[in-house]
Amino acid sequence: MNQKTILALASIVALTIVIVSSFYFFSTKPNVQKPVQTTAAASDMPVSEVAASEGIPAAEVDGIDVEELTAGIKQPSSAQHEPKLLNFELDQSLKAADTLLSMLPYDELPQFEQDNIDKYQRYVFAKAAKDTGKSVKDFSLQEHGALESEQAGNRYYVYKFDNGTDCEIHLVSIDLNTGDYGVSYNYC
């Protein structure tokens, strides 16, 4: 072999090593989750103390202010702000299959998040029933959950249901500061 061939092979090997090492060092590391405490003492602790005991900053878990998310549950119902419907519009770009694939399933969400999903489901069903002239009892919920949000002040809930004649998917955008919400929907 001549010198150019050896130099070319050495370059290829070096480049391969650099590429493989960059995949190793820059790939996402799997998250190791700690087991959830189920003792009575753990459930009596405030969210901020639980977060601190887990090594998570008290004010923030996964970029979302936990105190703000759970505040609606802790307030008496008479003092709560009644959420306002900001918009309810057909969105042709909302794809049911893609939205459902990226959704976090209801059963995997924390209890306060499930309570919020149930609360807004009642609002969405009432509005859809009013618009279609049908009873909410005629609706059958097929899937529901939440979407991850890049915006700290918003949360997105997804509802897929059959209203008796059509399958609809509703994407509900909630402003965490006011509780007001907007709905984009499309047919499945």
Side-chain angles (χ1 to χ4, degrees):
M1 285 206 264
N2 64 23
Q3 212 171 17
K4 287 183 180 180
T5 308
I6 292 172
L7 187 57
L9 288 174
S11 299
I12 292 172
V13 169
L15 187 59
T16 304
I17 290 171
V18 169
I19 291 171
V20 169
S21 64
S22 68
F23 280 130
Y24 176 76
F25 287 112
F26 296 114
S27 66
T28 58
K29 305 289 187 248
N31 291 335
V32 178
Q33 296 182 354
K34 295 181 181 180
V36 177
Q37 295 177 340
T38 57
T39 63
S43 62
D44 293 341
M45 288 180 9
V47 174
S48 60
E49 288 179 26
V50 172
S53 71
E54 296 280 327
I56 302 168
E60 197 172 284
V61 177
D62 290 335
I64 298 172
D65 186 354
V66 174
E67 295 294 334
E68 187 174 324
L69 285 174
T70 59
I73 298 169
K74 294 178 183 177
Q75 295 175 352
S77 60
S78 61
Q80 284 184 341
H81 164 74
E82 186 68 25
K84 293 179 190 172
L85 177 62
L86 302 175
N87 63 336
F88 197 93
E89 54 196 30
L90 179 67
D91 182 0
Q92 294 288 346
S93 65
L94 182 63
K95 303 294 181 208
D98 295 339
T99 304
L100 294 174
L101 285 175
S102 59
M103 174 182 78
L104 299 170
Y106 179 83
D107 296 336
E108 295 176 10
L109 296 169
Q111 184 61 45
F112 72 88
E113 197 78 286
Q114 291 179 1
D115 293 343
N116 284 340
I117 288 173
D118 293 341
K119 172 182 166 182
Y120 285 95
Q121 178 182 322
R122 289 189 296 273
Y123 296 138
V124 169
F125 276 27
K127 172 69 172 145
K130 180 180 174 186
D131 290 350
T132 60
K134 297 182 179 184
S135 170
V136 174
K137 294 176 184 175
D138 295 335
F139 296 171
S140 66
L141 182 66
Q142 295 173 348
E143 293 184 59
H144 58 310
L147 289 177
E148 290 286 333
S149 174
E150 296 293 325
Q151 300 171 342
N154 280 354
R155 196 70 176 141
Y156 296 96
Y157 297 140
V158 179
Y159 306 94
K160 178 183 177 187
F161 64 92
D162 188 345
N163 66 14
T165 55
D166 289 320
C167 172
E168 297 180 15
I169 183 161
H170 289 72
L171 179 63
V172 180
S173 172
I174 294 127
D175 182 341
L176 292 176
N177 295 324
T178 63
D180 296 341
Y181 62 104
V183 180
S184 300
Y185 73 94
N186 200 353
Y187 299 100
C188 300

